[in-house]
Amino acid sequence: MNKFDSYIMDYLYENREVALEKIGYIKVVSFAGADSKEAAVDYIFDRKITTSTGLVEYISEKTGKNKSLVAADLESHLKGVREFINIGKPYEIPQIGFIKANNSGVYAFTPVSEINTKPVRSAVQPAAQTGAKSSRTVVQIISLIIAIAILSGLGWQAYQALSKKTSEAGVNTSGNADTASAEDTIKTADTATTQRPAGYLPGDSVNVRYIFEVTASGLRARSRTAQLQRFGNNALYDSFISNNTRRYDLYILKKTKIADTLRVKDSLSKFFMRDIMLKIEP
């Protein structure tokens, strides 16, 4: 669970309403009981709405950080949330509900609360009521599909790199299989079913680039990297040319044991709300 999602949840419990930039307005109508966090919720989709100033002040007070920095980080987080929703993935506010785009691109809200037996009231479109258990099952299925797609892509990328290296070196496949380059993209998966990168043991430590964003904007690369560095992250960026266009990899550089790369990747994926690509430093 992202730290900002937790703050949004807590703010809703204390203040009963919050506006999230270009996502909409959420209001807690009632709770199931005095000690219950199950709530009936109203949601209004609004692409022009701005984030509640009270939420920024609340997070600033809880974290002890400057309001301007909190506002910038929260804006970046909500931008990632919108990107997440716009590709068809449900965004969860813990213990409150899920926001997801329908086929028309309109955001709809599905509450977690089991006490709200009526369809949630929405200014744009009613959303169907689902229980917490079924909602979480949907999220788990979607996460599994995403993981399979990522592993397939990384596997194909590693295969192409290995084939190119073999051709240039003029050696046979069997001789090259045990000496795969450390620069090849790591194929991450369960270590019980996936081979580790050739030449490494599970306990070996290597410098890994955890690439969380690729952009064509040099300004975006510099500003985002500087922002993360201010908060103590080992964030860097590198440039490359693709289709006659300069692009930038934004990444976290972290020394990691081969056996721990999947765990670190999953953790960073949840933090950035993005898919993470891995590459071993030479």
Side-chain angles (χ1 to χ4, degrees):
M1 178 173 64
N2 186 280
K3 59 183 179 180
F4 285 115
D5 299 334
S6 178
Y7 287 133
I8 291 170
M9 174 188 70
D10 293 339
Y11 182 81
L12 264 173
Y13 287 140
E14 292 186 20
N15 297 273
R16 295 210 169 205
E17 58 184 6
V18 69
L20 302 179
E21 183 178 7
K22 298 180 182 179
I23 294 176
Y25 171 78
I26 304 168
K27 180 177 181 180
V28 175
V29 178
S30 63
F31 291 104
D35 299 324
S36 175
K37 289 190 175 182
E38 293 184 347
V41 176
D42 277 350
Y43 170 71
I44 298 176
F45 173 52
D46 187 349
R47 289 194 185 277
K48 297 182 179 180
I49 202 167
T50 58
T51 300
S52 301
T53 56
L55 177 61
V56 175
E57 294 172 353
Y58 177 83
I59 297 175
S60 176
E61 180 182 345
K62 292 293 184 181
T63 60
K65 294 180 180 178
N66 180 276
K67 291 181 183 178
S68 298
L69 292 178
V70 170
D73 287 343
L74 183 58
E75 179 182 2
S76 178
H77 172 65
L78 293 177
K79 179 182 178 182
V81 168
R82 294 193 297 273
E83 293 174 352
F84 190 78
I85 296 173
N86 290 337
I87 60 174
K89 301 177 183 178
Y91 164 61
E92 180 184 6
I93 301 177
Q95 301 185 54
I96 298 295
F98 299 84
I99 298 174
K100 185 177 181 181
N102 62 20
N103 293 335
S104 301
V106 174
Y107 293 177
F109 184 87
T110 302
V112 169
S113 173
E114 296 180 357
I115 67 168
N116 185 13
T117 57
K118 297 181 180 179
V120 64
R121 296 191 296 276
S122 171
V124 179
Q125 177 177 342
Q129 172 80 16
T130 61
K133 183 176 180 180
S134 60
S135 297
R136 294 186 184 278
T137 300
V138 171
V139 174
Q140 290 171 353
I141 293 174
I142 292 174
S143 299
L144 178 60
I145 293 173
I146 293 171
I148 292 173
I150 292 171
L151 291 175
S152 298
L154 290 174
W156 174 246
Q157 193 175 17
Y159 172 79
Q160 287 183 315
L162 182 60
S163 298
K164 181 178 179 181
K165 180 178 176 66
T166 302
S167 175
E168 292 175 348
V171 298
N172 59 57
T173 303
S174 61
N176 192 56
D178 293 329
T179 57
S181 170
E183 294 179 354
D184 290 340
T185 301
I186 301 174
K187 183 179 180 183
T188 57
D190 190 332
T191 55
T193 58
T194 304
Q195 294 181 344
R196 61 180 178 270
Y200 292 101
L201 297 174
D204 290 343
S205 294
V206 292
N207 287 322
V208 181
R209 291 187 181 187
Y210 295 90
I211 302 171
F212 60 85
E213 183 175 344
V214 179
T215 179
S217 170
L219 177 60
R220 167 65 179 173
R222 291 188 292 274
S223 62
R224 182 58 172 151
T225 299
Q227 182 185 57
L228 290 169
Q229 288 175 347
R230 285 199 301 271
F231 292 107
N233 297 292
N234 191 17
L236 300 166
Y237 68 88
D238 196 5
S239 65
F240 62 95
I241 302 297
S242 176
N243 296 327
N244 297 321
T245 301
R246 182 170 294 279
R247 297 185 181 277
Y248 300 84
D249 281 340
L250 280 65
Y251 61 91
I252 298 293
L253 183 62
K254 186 176 180 64
K255 191 166 187 178
T256 314
K257 288 184 178 180
I258 294 296
D260 293 336
T261 51
L262 180 59
R263 176 182 58 78
V264 176
K265 171 183 174 295
D266 288 343
S267 178
L268 291 174
S269 180
K270 292 177 182 177
F271 177 79
F272 288 108
M273 302 290 288
R274 293 171 180 267
D275 294 333
I276 304 295
M277 294 184 294
L278 279 69
K279 189 174 183 180
I280 293 180
E281 283 277 274

